[in-house]
Structures are given as C-alpha cells and as structure tokens.
Amino acid sequence: MRLLNEHNAIDLRTTPVHLGRGSTAKPVEGFAWDPEALQAYNAAVAADGAEGRMVMIFDGDGPGDHWENHPAGDELVVCLSGSVTVTRDLDGVPDRTLLGPGEATVNPAGVWHAVDMTGPTSILTITAGLGTDHRPRTDTHPTEHVGAPEPETS
C-alpha cells in the first residue's frame, strides 16, 4: 500500500483517495480491507491525524454485514444510485435515514452505524478513518458485548 502523486483517472471503487492536511489528495494504491493494509494506510497518513479523510465508492446490494464507528470525525455518505438506508445506533435505539440518488447524510463522530442497500446501489463516502472500528452485525446493538458475562447482583 502506498500513496501516489498521480494525475490519471482513478476508479474510486478500487483505489480510494486520501484527503490530507494542506489540501492534498493522494490515491491509495494497494488499499484493501485487511488488517495489514489498514495498518499500512494508518501509518502512511498518521501525520494528518484526525483531519485526514478517505474518499471511496462502494457498490452493493443487500444488508451490510457490519457496524462501524469513526471516533476521529464525521462521515459523509452520499447515495449515487439505487437506495440505501443508513442505521445509526443512538444509545440502543435505531435511527434510520433512507437515501435516494443525490441525497446524503452525516454519521456523527463516535456513532455506530450500518448501511443496507436495496437493489444495486452505489454510495460515495468521505470518512475520518483514524481509529475506525468494525463489529460484526448481529441481533445485538454494536455497543453491547456479545458473550460478556452479566454483572453480578447480590
């Protein structure tokens, strides 16, 4: 994984762009959603701190398989085509926003959220990636600890 100084066409579906301090924009070659690539990305953009943003397009169809949380800053989600529902977990209460083409919503920093696409859908995200956390999507809320022992009562 490396940041490029590139001026050719970029496919945001396979090559995200990192927006950094000083109004820089650099394609991220070799990015992948695996621990090694994420660690390399975080190291490469560490100087940008919480001000850095990743811009990427996701295509999909169906429910998302994970919750995510971006503690370093807000995330903008823009529906490019299709239909997407963004669900935020607000203290255990689901808050849903339905988006159609050209509509957007903001996931506030530190709020767990999930994305469900209805039919073939494309979204663009601008994300404060520093410290991002993912949890598998289950019937529990993302803030609950599955399998954690219950507190003892006397």
Side-chain angles (χ1 to χ4, degrees):
M1 193 287 320
R2 66 187 178 120
L3 300 180
L4 301 175
N5 288 317
E6 187 71 37
H7 303 288
N8 296 319
I10 302 162
D11 182 348
L12 287 174
R13 290 167 175 83
T14 58
T15 305
V17 171
H18 176 78
L19 304 178
R21 288 187 177 167
S23 299
T24 60
K26 295 186 179 187
V28 183
E29 181 182 66
F31 181 81
W33 292 105
D34 64 60
E36 187 176 302
L38 288 169
Q39 187 176 26
Y41 170 74
N42 284 329
V45 301
D48 293 328
E51 299 306 313
R53 298 288 184 270
M54 179 183 282
V55 180
M56 191 168 213
I57 292 176
F58 296 93
D59 297 318
D61 182 358
D65 63 356
H66 66 277
W67 290 95
E68 65 179 14
N69 179 324
H70 311 290
D74 297 343
E75 174 185 55
L76 179 67
V77 178
V78 181
C79 181
L80 301 174
S81 65
S83 176
V84 62
T85 300
V86 177
T87 302
R88 295 175 198 86
D89 181 45
L90 302 178
D91 296 322
V93 177
D95 173 53
R96 293 181 178 87
T97 302
L98 176 65
L99 303 175
E103 295 180 322
T105 190
V106 174
N107 291 318
V111 172
W112 286 96
H113 56 278
V115 174
D116 299 312
M117 299 176 177
T118 305
T121 299
S122 291
I123 61 171
L124 176 128
T125 61
I126 303 173
T127 306
L130 188 67
T132 291
D133 192 11
H134 291 96
R135 294 200 178 149
R137 197 146 176 211
T138 64
D139 291 338
T140 61
H141 296 284
T143 53
E144 294 175 3
H145 298 286
V146 179
E150 293 294 321
E152 292 184 27
T153 56
S154 41

